[in-house]
Amino acid sequence: MSRGRLYTLLLFLTASGYLWLLVGNDSGKTIGWTGCLIRYIFHIPCPSCGTTRSVREMFRGEWLSALYYNPIGVLLAVLMVVIPIWIVADLLMNSSSFLRAYRQTEKIFQRRLYAFIGIVAILINWIWNFQKYL
């Protein structure tokens, strides 16, 4: 993926995430929508259930509560802050440091060991979501 396409995609996704946090609220409880399509259809939590609440808690400074809702949300909240700043800095300085870091990270996760660790971590998180059933 080219630098321009990657940066555009990530800025769009980050802006969408902020918009989701801005307009989203817990009003879904009153109409039966939980915000998770998998949970809505299959009545089971998905591995990322609780991520929105976790990100909200992170931005409120409630780290432990954010971890409890979903550790993925903690990582996502950090990325939602770091990525746009890094990309804008790259664009202003005509650099590609974020692209290089992205590609290095991508290579790391293509290794079987790291991919396996990531899959196991997601499965453990999913099992925890079943246990919490938030």
Side-chain angles (χ1 to χ4, degrees):
M1 183 177 291
S2 71
R3 175 182 175 242
R5 291 184 80 176
L6 178 67
Y7 286 11
T8 301
L9 176 66
L10 290 176
L11 288 175
F12 172 76
L13 290 174
T14 305
S16 298
Y18 282 114
L19 185 62
W20 177 259
L21 289 174
L22 201 69
V23 298
N25 56 38
D26 290 334
S27 64
K29 291 179 181 173
T30 59
I31 59 172
W33 174 255
T34 62
C36 175
L37 191 58
I38 291 174
R39 188 172 178 167
Y40 184 73
I41 293 172
F42 299 109
H43 305 286
I44 60 170
C46 75
S48 64
C49 274
T51 301
T52 302
R53 287 172 282 180
S54 177
V55 171
R56 279 193 190 124
E57 291 297 298
M58 277 292 291
F59 288 141
R60 290 181 186 141
E62 300 291 335
W63 302 72
L64 290 177
S65 179
L67 275 171
Y68 179 75
Y69 277 125
N70 196 323
I72 293 171
V74 174
L75 176 64
L76 187 61
V78 170
L79 291 175
M80 286 177 69
V81 172
V82 170
I83 287 176
I85 292 171
W86 197 345
I87 288 175
V88 169
D90 259 8
L91 294 173
L92 291 174
M93 295 186 295
N94 199 21
S95 172
S96 295
S97 65
F98 179 80
L99 179 63
R100 286 191 300 274
Y102 174 84
R103 287 184 175 156
Q104 281 184 315
T105 304
E106 190 176 39
K107 281 183 182 176
I108 289 170
F109 282 105
Q110 287 176 345
R111 294 182 190 153
R112 287 183 184 199
L113 175 64
Y114 295 112
F116 178 75
I117 291 170
I119 290 169
V120 168
I122 288 172
L123 286 175
I124 290 170
N125 189 51
W126 196 8
I127 292 167
W128 193 31
N129 271 351
F130 274 108
Q131 194 238 349
K132 294 182 291 187
Y133 204 78
L134 296 173

